[in-house]
Amino acid sequence: EDGNLRWEECLTRDGFEGAYSLLYHELRPHEALPAEVAHGYAAPVAAEVNLQRRHFQTQDFPRLGGPPVDARRPLLFNKDVVITHVTPDEADPVYVTNADGDDLYWIFEGGGTLRSVFGDLPFRQGDYVQVPRGVLHRFVPDGSPQTWLHIECRGGLHLPSQWRNPVGQLRMDAPFCHRDFHAPAFVGPIDEGIREHVVKRDDTWYGFAHPHSPLDVVGWDGATYPWTFHILDFQPRAGLVHLPPTWHGTFATRGALICSFVPRAVDFHPEAIPCPYPHSSVEVDEFLFYAAGNFTSRKGVGPGSVSLHPSGIPHGPHPGAYEGSIGHRETNELAVMLDCYERLVPTKTAVEVEDPGYHESFIG
């Protein structure tokens, strides 16, 4: 209305070949200058460990506190994903950009708002929160206790191809639909008084200072933006006999499938044993974050437990789990799983809360 030009920023994927969004700024979006870095979480450091089944009790970690950009503990990593445990208790005092990958958070407990150049995105317990690579943002927790699972997807994040038709629309038999995904509410230009901005590239943090608020966007359109998806909006499936975990595939990234285990009916053949079969995975490492419910195949795990079952070693139900599952018609378990093609390496931080007897617990 004042006759001034707006500054168009193209946020693109795969160079200029992939999805993109256009943001319209009141002022130049590229005037930030290098500055000191006061915030950022540490890169993962590998622990020297042998090959075995592992159980990490993240519920035993003391809460780190502080803002989300700092309050993180790396657990496991490879060249495709980095998995961290996040326990903040205050809002980010700086704007954050991850140039290393798409961020996927799962909110184990807590809630709040993700504020970005696209607007405000509320999130709650049970939500997946996705922040695309390169998006300037900050988290504002709501004051309740916060525990988040963070998966940095260095090869990008997308919906599995088996759930999409040739034009990219979700198929009618997919376990979710488009309206299950929630976009930010655009709130117009905002000046929070924050001028500090940190960017992570190659696991190193760089600081920048903006001459004005970077949240000066007056409008945007496109196909790249943050979103939330609640885990209980995933529609589980059941069969006469046990279905493989790929049926629980929710998101995909380079080298990994991310699955949601939600309350569901179990196998309904009259002679079916609902408990999963032992599995010799010869190509993938399995990560499982246990959130709630009764995990019929495992003993000694609870909310916050993380299991790692590496390639090359059979894993399966604990002794007695088969017998105990007979007659069950449903399960109330809630968990997030990753199947990764590259070896998942435990960090020195993760082994601080490792259950030393987990591997031997599978012996009858």
Side-chain angles (χ1 to χ4, degrees), residues 27 29 35 40 76 151 159 195 217 228 253 290 305 314 331 341 355-356:
L27 300 168
L76 298 145
I151 306 166
L159 299 182
R195 299 294 183 264
V217 174
T228 62
T253 183
Y290 300 86
S305 288
T331 176
Y341 278 93
D355 172 5

Side-chain angles (χ1 to χ4, degrees), residues 35-364:
E36 293 185 2
V37 180
H39 295 276
Y41 52 90
V45 177
E48 295 183 7
V49 295
N50 60 352
L51 189 68
Q52 66 182 51
R53 297 181 289 266
R54 298 183 181 277
H55 173 209
F56 306 106
Q57 297 166 303
T58 69
Q59 60 270 43
D60 290 348
F61 279 135
R63 291 184 178 274
L64 285 173
V69 67
D70 299 326
R72 309 186 184 215
R73 290 182 172 96
L75 300 176
L76 298 145
F77 69 101
N78 61 27
K79 70 177 185 180
D80 298 318
V81 298
V82 181
I83 303 171
T84 62
H85 189 255
V86 191
T87 54
D89 63 4
E90 60 184 77
D92 282 323
V94 298
Y95 295 117
V96 181
T97 297
N98 186 357
D100 284 336
D102 291 344
D103 290 319
L104 182 68
Y105 297 85
W106 187 69
I107 309 303
F108 175 52
E109 62 175 344
T113 300
L114 171 72
R115 177 159 291 165
S116 74
V117 288
F118 293 92
D120 283 357
L121 182 63
F123 61 90
R124 58 193 170 108
Q125 183 174 355
D127 270 339
Y128 288 103
V129 183
Q130 188 259 12
V131 186
R133 181 200 304 256
V135 169
L136 180 145
H137 67 279
R138 77 183 187 103
F139 280 100
V140 184
D142 62 10
S144 61
Q146 308 282 332
T147 305
W148 310 343
L149 177 70
H150 172 218
I151 306 166
E152 182 182 82
C153 303
R154 300 200 166 189
L157 184 76
H158 60 273
L159 299 182
S161 58
Q162 66 264 32
W163 305 140
R164 294 181 278 124
N165 62 26
V167 299
Q169 183 184 24
L170 288 171
R171 292 167 53 95
M172 294 185 70
D173 60 348
F176 34 52
C177 65
H178 291 283
R179 59 182 169 269
D180 295 324
F181 293 81
H182 306 284
F186 182 67
V187 293
I190 298 177
D191 188 348
E192 301 181 287
I194 299 174
R195 299 294 183 264
E196 188 177 353
H197 179 197
V198 293
V199 178
K200 186 170 78 75
R201 180 65 191 270
D202 295 333
D203 285 326
T204 301
W205 291 91
Y206 301 90
F208 295 89
H210 289 262
H212 54 78
S213 172
L215 302 185
D216 64 339
V217 174
V218 299
W220 68 273
D221 60 15
T224 295
Y225 49 85
W227 46 255
T228 62
F229 171 83
H230 198 276
I231 193 170
L232 294 182
D233 286 332
F234 184 84
Q235 301 174 30
R237 303 194 178 195
L240 283 170
V241 294
H242 185 67
L243 298 176
T246 47
W247 279 103
H248 304 278
T250 312
F251 309 111
T253 183
R254 184 187 68 199
L257 180 68
I258 301 167
C259 299
S260 302
F261 290 102
V262 300
R264 62 195 182 276
V266 295
D267 321 346
F268 50 87
H269 188 281
E271 297 183 9
I273 296 178
C275 201
Y277 38 70
H279 181 208
S280 288
S281 179
V282 298
E283 292 184 335
V284 302
D285 282 8
E286 178 196 271
F287 163 95
L288 200 58
F289 181 88
Y290 300 86
N294 179 25
F295 304 100
T296 57
S297 62
R298 298 281 185 273
K299 296 177 181 179
V301 299
S305 288
V306 167
S307 65
L308 172 64
H309 296 151
S311 170
I313 302 176
H315 67 268
H318 268 126
Y322 269 121
E323 297 86 344
S325 73
I326 295 174
H328 285 208
R329 294 292 175 261
E330 61 184 22
T331 176
N332 63 351
E333 68 182 4
L334 189 66
V336 175
M337 188 186 84
L338 273 76
D339 272 346
C340 301
Y341 278 93
E342 294 289 332
R343 180 189 177 189
L344 280 173
V345 179
T347 65
K348 291 183 177 180
T349 303
V351 299
E352 293 175 2
V353 291
E354 184 170 7
D355 172 5
Y358 183 71
H359 186 88
E360 291 78 9
S361 68
F362 288 83
I363 299 173

